[in-house]
Amino acid sequence: MQNKVYVIMYHYVRDLEHSRYPQIKGLDTACFRKQIEYLKQNFTVITMEELNCACNNQYELPKQAVLLTFDDGYLDHYTSVFPILKAENLQGSFFISGKTLKEHVLLDVNKIHYILATTQIDVLLPSVLKRMDYYRGSEYEYPDNSTLFNQYASVNRFDSKETIFVKRMLQTVLPEKVRSKICDDLFQKYVGISEDKLAGELYLTSDQIRLMKQEGMYIGLHGYNHYWLGRLSEEDMQKDIRQALDVMSEYIDAKNWVMNYPYGSYNEALLQYITSTGCKLGLTTQVKVADLSECSNLTIPRLDTNDFPPVSEKFKCRLDKERT
């Protein structure tokens, strides 16, 4: 019996060279097309419904099963991804942060992406540290910059330690009001476009989501505010999920829906709560091939698009070894 599935995670997919911000960390549309061709030749692309059934022993996974997941609800997913998947008769699973649909505002996570895409880190880091000093001590309390840098500046496979530090400070570590103030200030200083205009260009609309669902794409939850849900109080966590369920009610089955944890952040209280509200599967950012005989239905790991050709030969080499 097959238990393994390669769950691939995508974010921005666009014609990077001709986009407004070509330095954004995304996958070029041409590369995405090549990757889909590679996956069709070497894997079997399954649907979210099939994965759900497999997790409940109602469906046997094919060899080299792969699931395509797309985070954050970007317009890219309608203009660049959807036509390719539709033409190839493949399903993608799209996870949308409710706030972008309900309030039409730019999320802080995306402000950070665009700040990083327009500003060299050796310029940005001093600007962040300066503002952290400015807000510390009067109304907001948090450790000194050196302590925080030593604790949170750790390199990963995609970013330098300085970039990780900036992300962590502005995503979750600093008090929320401080994070928002610094993000707003840096966005205005470095990005060169209004938040309203970028929000209008960046996210999916209700009509687009509705059409994608009608054409066989799967729609799931990605929280409401794109918070690190595992770090919220239980009250705030539950409020975020309730808001997301309310906004996304048209596109999901309230008794059988899938959660994609923003930043991969969750805890036991969150797992218990979403189970009580009808969630059947949960997707993390843990980097590994999902083995359904080992992982919980609510903590399914994923791989990054950059782990596969044409960006990487990692899994091509692995497949070649398995065939010899």
Side-chain angles (χ1 to χ4, degrees), residues 156-201:
N156 72 10
R157 61 192 188 131
F158 297 128
D159 291 315
S160 69
K161 64 180 182 180
E162 291 81 8
T163 299
I164 291 295
F165 174 77
V166 168
K167 284 184 174 181
R168 294 297 176 265
M169 293 304 103
L170 301 184
Q171 288 170 350
T172 187
V173 174
L174 297 176
E176 183 176 3
K177 290 184 178 180
V178 174
R179 300 198 308 263
S180 293
K181 288 178 179 179
I182 295 178
C183 280
D184 289 346
D185 187 15
L186 296 174
F187 187 91
Q188 184 177 7
K189 181 178 178 64
Y190 294 117
V191 179
I193 185 175
S194 72
E195 292 184 17
D196 288 346
K197 185 172 180 61
L198 184 55
E201 295 179 358

Side-chain angles (χ1 to χ4, degrees), residues 120-138:
Q120 295 294 322
I121 192 62
D122 59 347
V123 173
L124 181 59
L125 179 59
S127 293
V128 172
L129 293 172
K130 178 180 178 180
R131 286 161 176 79
M132 289 168 61
D133 283 337
Y134 176 81
Y135 288 110
R136 181 188 293 105
S138 53

Side-chain angles (χ1 to χ4, degrees), residues 158-299:
F158 297 128
D159 291 315
S160 69
K161 64 180 182 180
E162 291 81 8
T163 299
I164 291 295
F165 174 77
V166 168
K167 284 184 174 181
R168 294 297 176 265
M169 293 304 103
L170 301 184
Q171 288 170 350
T172 187
V173 174
L174 297 176
E176 183 176 3
K177 290 184 178 180
V178 174
R179 300 198 308 263
S180 293
K181 288 178 179 179
I182 295 178
C183 280
D184 289 346
D185 187 15
L186 296 174
F187 187 91
Q188 184 177 7
K189 181 178 178 64
Y190 294 117
V191 179
I193 185 175
S194 72
E195 292 184 17
D196 288 346
K197 185 172 180 61
L198 184 55
E201 295 179 358
L202 187 58
Y203 302 118
L204 290 167
T205 67
S206 297
D207 286 342
Q208 290 163 346
I209 299 169
R210 192 174 297 118
L211 177 61
M212 290 167 69
K213 180 176 174 60
Q214 289 172 356
E215 294 298 319
M217 303 299 117
Y218 186 88
I219 307 299
L221 261 68
H222 202 42
Y224 184 80
N225 287 286
H226 203 282
Y227 285 147
W228 289 65
L229 293 170
R231 300 187 181 185
L232 295 180
S233 69
E234 192 163 347
E235 179 182 359
D236 288 341
M237 173 270 290
Q238 292 184 7
K239 178 182 177 182
D240 190 89
I241 297 298
R242 286 196 304 271
Q243 287 179 299
L245 286 168
D246 180 61
V247 173
M248 299 301 295
S249 59
E250 176 185 347
Y251 314 104
I252 66 168
D253 177 350
K255 296 181 180 179
N256 186 7
W257 54 275
V258 180
M259 180 69 190
N260 180 341
Y261 311 110
Y263 308 107
S265 176
Y266 63 91
N267 57 25
E268 190 58 36
L270 173 60
L271 300 185
Q272 291 179 7
Y273 183 68
I274 61 176
T275 299
S276 73
T277 59
C279 180
K280 302 303 181 185
L281 300 179
L283 303 178
T284 73
T285 56
Q286 183 186 9
V287 182
K288 62 185 295 186
V289 178
D291 187 333
L292 303 186
S293 66
E294 296 178 354
C295 66
S296 158
N297 291 2
L298 294 178
T299 58

Side-chain angles (χ1 to χ4, degrees), residues 88-105:
E88 297 292 346
N89 195 31
L90 301 175
Q91 185 194 74
S93 295
F94 299 86
F95 297 89
I96 295 140
S97 297
K99 190 172 186 177
T100 66
L101 199 58
K102 177 74 171 180
E103 302 181 37
H104 311 291
V105 296

Side-chain angles (χ1 to χ4, degrees), residues 110-125:
N110 296 124
K111 293 178 192 176
I112 297 167
H113 290 165
Y114 281 87
I115 291 166
L116 287 165
T118 56
T119 317
Q120 295 294 322
I121 192 62
D122 59 347
V123 173
L124 181 59
L125 179 59

